[in-house]
């Protein structure tokens, strides 16, 4: 059997009148006139077919039915008010919750967060890691940084940068295994380091650069993440496929080198992903602006 719910505006007016027992105070709290309060009460009584209050010389008084009804609906309005306050605070508090990949967090975001905290010390950043696309109905986060084509239903996206890959290794590994630096293809006969979540990167790069025959049947070593794969490359275990944008710091410092100089676009890109219906919040806006500035400075 369907629940019988009266018109909500008259019900809210009655809740305030029942709580204050004063038309003037109720009108003030509701920001409407006393006549409007009276009209809404009349609508509710007509709907219920029950007398809820009586007019008296100095105002109104609730009938027994009105008192029982007022006592019954008051907790419901209190619960609605609390729930509304909680959900509004979750979008405007000083904690910024971001979901992204472990690799992106470790190699790009975390090394730059000190600058964000210096500028916005009142905003606490909480990072959660996941390889799944964000679901804002499921995941308790404000935004996500993830890779794809930018088309995720129910979200707004900001393009960050393209996914560009190329082989990387340590300088020592390069010198040892390709003594003639003009012919780095000798490196492809050593050991290919492969990340579990990016298993097709070697084939993608080799196909576009016409090195498919060179990597065919070459020994490989697999790791559970790109972070571990690149660490193995830095430690001289072999040559890995690097995501250029995430290895800017390692390449600039000389920890890793890109011996081929042949970057390849995979067709995917990194995006900042936000709920489409998210209320505008200061913490989200300042992080978006800061992120865009960091990417621009990266060149």
């Amino acid at each position: 059997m369907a629940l019988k719910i009266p018109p909500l505006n008259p019900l809210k007016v009655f809740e305030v009148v029942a709580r204050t027992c004063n038309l003037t105070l109720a009108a003030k709290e509701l920001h409407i006139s006393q006549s409007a309060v009276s009209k809404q009460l009349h609508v509710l009584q007509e709907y219920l077919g029950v007398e809820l209050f009586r007019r008296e010389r100095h105002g109104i008084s609730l009938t027994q039915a009105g008192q029982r009804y007022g006592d019954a609906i008051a907790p419901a309005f209190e619960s609605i008010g609390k729930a509304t306050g909680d959900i509004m605070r979750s979008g405007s508090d000083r904690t910024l919750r971001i979901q992204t990949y472990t690799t992106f967090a470790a190699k790009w975001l975390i090394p730059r967060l000190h600058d964000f905290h210096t500028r916005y010390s009142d905003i606490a950043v909480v990072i959660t890691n996941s390889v799944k696309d964000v679901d804002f109905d499921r995941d308790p986060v404000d935004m996500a940084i993830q890779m794809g084509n930018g088309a995720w239903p129910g979200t707004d996206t900001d393009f960050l940068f393209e996914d560009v890959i190329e082989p990387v290794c340590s300088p020592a590994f390069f010198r040892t295994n390709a003594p003639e630096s003009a012919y780095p293809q000798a490196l492809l006969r050593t050991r290919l380091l492969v990340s579990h979540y990016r298993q097709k990167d070697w084939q993608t790069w080799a196909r576009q650069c016409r090195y498919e025959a060179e990597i065919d049947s070459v020994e490989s070593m697999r790791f559970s993440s790109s972070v571990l794969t690149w660490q193995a490359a830095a430690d001289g275990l072999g040559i890995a496929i690097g995501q250029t944008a995430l290895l800017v710091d390692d390449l600039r410092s000389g920890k890793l080198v890109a011996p081929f100089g042949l970057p390849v676009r995979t067709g995917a890109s990194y995006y900042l992903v936000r709920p489409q219906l998210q209320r505008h919040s200061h913490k989200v806006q300042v992080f978006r602006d800061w992120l865009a500035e960091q990417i621009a400075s990266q060149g």
Side-chain angles (χ1 to χ4, degrees), residues 247-273:
L247 291 175
V248 168
D249 297 335
D250 287 341
L251 292 169
R252 284 178 179 170
S253 68
K255 181 179 179 180
L256 292 171
V257 294
F260 289 86
L262 294 173
V264 164
R265 293 177 172 86
T266 66
S269 297
Y270 280 89
Y271 291 86
L272 180 65
V273 185

Side-chain angles (χ1 to χ4, degrees), residues 201-273:
D201 280 0
W202 268 115
Q203 285 69 31
T204 299
W205 179 83
R207 183 174 60 255
Q208 293 194 42
C209 296
R210 299 182 179 178
Y211 280 120
E212 288 180 285
E214 280 78 0
I215 69 168
D216 187 40
S217 301
V218 174
E219 176 191 355
S220 65
M221 183 179 291
R222 296 178 181 272
F223 299 87
S224 61
S225 71
S226 294
V227 171
L228 296 179
T229 308
W230 299 335
Q231 184 61 50
D235 289 335
L237 288 178
I239 184 166
I241 286 287
Q243 292 169 259
T244 307
L246 305 190
L247 291 175
V248 168
D249 297 335
D250 287 341
L251 292 169
R252 284 178 179 170
S253 68
K255 181 179 179 180
L256 292 171
V257 294
F260 289 86
L262 294 173
V264 164
R265 293 177 172 86
T266 66
S269 297
Y270 280 89
Y271 291 86
L272 180 65
V273 185

Side-chain angles (χ1 to χ4, degrees), residues 48-255:
L48 297 173
V50 175
E51 187 180 39
L52 299 175
F53 65 93
R54 295 190 183 92
R55 292 189 177 275
E56 297 184 344
R57 187 172 174 183
H58 299 293
I60 64 167
S61 65
L62 295 174
T63 64
Q64 286 188 348
Q67 187 67 57
R68 288 196 307 272
Y69 197 48
D71 291 343
I73 68 170
F77 277 99
E78 185 177 351
S79 295
I80 292 170
K82 183 179 183 302
T84 303
D86 288 345
I87 199 167
M88 291 179 71
R89 279 193 297 276
S90 71
S92 61
D93 64 16
R94 309 308 291 181
T95 300
L96 182 63
R97 302 164 186 85
I98 304 169
Q99 177 176 300
T100 190
Y101 312 118
T102 299
T103 298
F104 185 90
K107 301 301 294 184
W108 197 94
L109 182 56
I110 290 174
R112 291 163 174 76
L113 272 184
H114 176 72
D115 179 77
F116 183 81
H117 283 308
T118 299
R119 299 196 211 178
Y120 307 103
S121 58
D122 58 328
I123 300 176
V125 176
V126 175
I127 299 172
T128 59
N129 302 128
S130 177
V131 295
K132 296 180 179 179
D133 285 349
V134 69
D135 179 346
F136 291 109
D137 291 330
R138 175 195 66 209
D139 305 317
V141 295
D142 300 296
M143 58 176 60
I145 297 170
Q146 60 193 38
M147 196 168 62
N149 61 7
W152 292 283
T155 69
D156 286 331
T157 60
D158 299 311
F159 170 82
L160 301 180
F161 46 75
E162 290 183 288
D163 181 46
V164 178
I165 59 174
E166 63 179 313
V168 295
C169 63
S170 71
F173 189 85
F174 184 19
R175 290 192 300 269
T176 300
N177 294 282
E180 296 184 47
S181 60
Y183 300 97
Q185 51 265 47
L187 297 167
L188 302 179
R189 295 192 292 270
T190 57
R191 180 186 293 121
L192 306 183
L193 307 179
V194 181
S195 170
H196 172 73
Y197 291 106
R198 309 266 319 201
Q199 296 184 38
K200 296 181 180 179
D201 280 0
W202 268 115
Q203 285 69 31
T204 299
W205 179 83
R207 183 174 60 255
Q208 293 194 42
C209 296
R210 299 182 179 178
Y211 280 120
E212 288 180 285
E214 280 78 0
I215 69 168
D216 187 40
S217 301
V218 174
E219 176 191 355
S220 65
M221 183 179 291
R222 296 178 181 272
F223 299 87
S224 61
S225 71
S226 294
V227 171
L228 296 179
T229 308
W230 299 335
Q231 184 61 50
D235 289 335
L237 288 178
I239 184 166
I241 286 287
Q243 292 169 259
T244 307
L246 305 190
L247 291 175
V248 168
D249 297 335
D250 287 341
L251 292 169
R252 284 178 179 170
S253 68
K255 181 179 179 180

